Amino acid sequence: MPDAATLHADWFDGRSARARPVRLWLERDQLVVHDQGLEGVERRYPIRHVQWPERTRHGQRQAQLPDGGVLMAKDAADWDAWADASTQGRGLGGGLAVRWFSSWKHSIVALAVVVAAGGATWHWGVPAAADLIARHLPAAIEQSIGDGSMEQIDHLLLKPSKTPTRDQQQWRERFAAMVASQPGESTAYELHFRDAGPSVGPNAFALPGGHIVVTDELLHLLGDEPDAVLGVLAHELGHVREQHGLRLTMRASLMGGLLGFAVGDFSSLLAGAPAVLMQASYSRDFERAADAQAKRLLIDSGRSPRAMLALFERIGEWRSKRSAQARAERASEPHSLGRDIGEQAKAGAGELLRIAFNSHPADEERMRFFER
């Protein structure tokens, strides 16, 4: 008898359903099958050539031999004890993953590791990968994304500007002169003037490809504060310089791709950049970076950053008036399904364009930043 641990099992030759009682043991790198019915005939198989199917908790244990034979043991506990004793606890087949998932403690640890890795990927990995892609994306593709977004937003939310062409040209010249105060600045941009109506209101936003949109309502609100208007345009130019729109699009696309991979549905990935840019909003880090660019440009052009305080004050007043007007309209109109639908439509329009300037929180932090 061998010194190694042995196990009684049934052996099938792969050609008939007749089982033969055998004794098993491991000897060096071989599995020895001792046929008890044939006066001790032994068959030897290299362990690496034997397939050890994944174990179930209570199921029958078996091994598939390279010559087509099969070994089976009805008592799973005896098989597992023999396997552990023969391999000093390493087990047979299945690899590390099977051994881990055969233990509920190891399964919990593995689940925690997967969740932590997923969270880290979502929080840090996706933004880093998106920023890397954005930096190396050909300019023609960024331009195409920006042009498509501009066309769609134009179609859905904006109207041709009512600002006289002469005034538009004056704003273009003022801003170009301001940008020229920073030697070496070569960021390409294009100013668009649009009538945004009451839903978008006094606003400005930037899109990939250098598109900067300013609304008639903003020019009207700050008509007597030209430095504040230029500060807003400088803020939007900061978004263009830092490729915030493109990076936002890449992040949303990568997250959509990961979710599509998880649920097996990639259709949302094809929703397109315009929808992303209309529904997503810039992070506070992006806003701080754009504010820093605006402040630097205001100073370099000989203007005071405090000019931006007028913007925050007047935007706040405009929001308050709009809220009061909305409350008054609700109070004067009879309650009806049509009214509810209309209010929801208005609210929906207000939620659009979250990248737009007046959707940014005009908190104390930003006002203090421009006061210094």
Side-chain angles (χ1 to χ4, degrees), residues 29 68 81-82 117 183 197 237 260:
D29 58 349
W82 165 74
L237 183 63

Side-chain angles (χ1 to χ4, degrees), residues 7 9-13 20-25 31-34 43 45 50-53 60-65 68-74 79 82:
L7 175 73
D10 293 328
W11 171 75
F12 298 86
D13 61 6
R20 302 180 69 89
V22 295
R23 181 181 293 268
L24 312 176
W25 68 86
L31 170 66
V32 181
V33 180
H34 182 91
R43 296 176 178 82
Y45 304 94
V50 178
Q51 295 183 24
W52 311 89
Q60 197 174 55
R61 302 291 186 259
Q62 61 176 261
Q64 298 172 359
L65 303 173
V70 177
L71 295 171
M72 301 185 70
K74 296 178 181 177
W79 177 290
W82 165 74

